[in-house]
Amino acid sequence: MAKKGTGYFDRKGQFFKTAREATESDIAALFGQIGEGESLAPGIAHMLLERRADVERLFAEHDEMVAEEAANRASLNDIGSKVSKLPTRPAV
């Protein structure tokens, strides 16, 4: 008798039983070959999904720091336009 089932495909068209497996395959493919011999990419992809909340939190913190850094640079550039450079004096 025929059975109905659900499956998932990664971007290469490979079939997986779960969405998690298909996503891990896509992430591993994104990383490509990591390391000598058998690639470490599948294990790294698995860990990324396991620690997804932590990774997303770190990226959010990173984005905040980058925004602050850009604001600080803009602030320094704004101050630089208001400061006059003193003439150089000859060394004695």
Side-chain angles (χ1 to χ4, degrees):
M1 172 186 272
K3 294 183 181 181
K4 181 179 176 183
T6 301
Y8 301 89
F9 295 90
D10 67 3
R11 293 181 182 196
K12 294 185 287 185
Q14 289 181 290
F15 175 82
F16 295 92
K17 291 180 181 179
T18 67
R20 180 183 194 86
E21 291 172 338
T23 302
E24 286 178 6
S25 176
D26 282 337
I27 293 171
L30 179 70
F31 290 150
Q33 177 72 26
I34 298 176
E36 301 275 328
E38 194 172 331
S39 178
L40 300 173
I44 294 169
H46 176 78
M47 288 304 300
L48 281 173
L49 283 178
E50 286 288 315
R51 305 296 304 258
R52 180 179 178 169
D54 295 326
V55 171
E56 288 176 346
R57 180 181 46 78
L58 289 172
F59 274 117
E61 291 171 3
H62 170 76
D63 292 343
E64 287 178 32
M65 290 186 291
V66 169
E68 287 175 16
E69 186 178 44
N72 288 341
R73 251 189 259 120
S75 173
L76 288 175
N77 287 341
D78 186 41
I79 291 171
S81 65
K82 297 176 184 175
V83 176
S84 299
K85 188 173 181 178
L86 294 174
T88 56
R89 296 186 224 166
V92 204

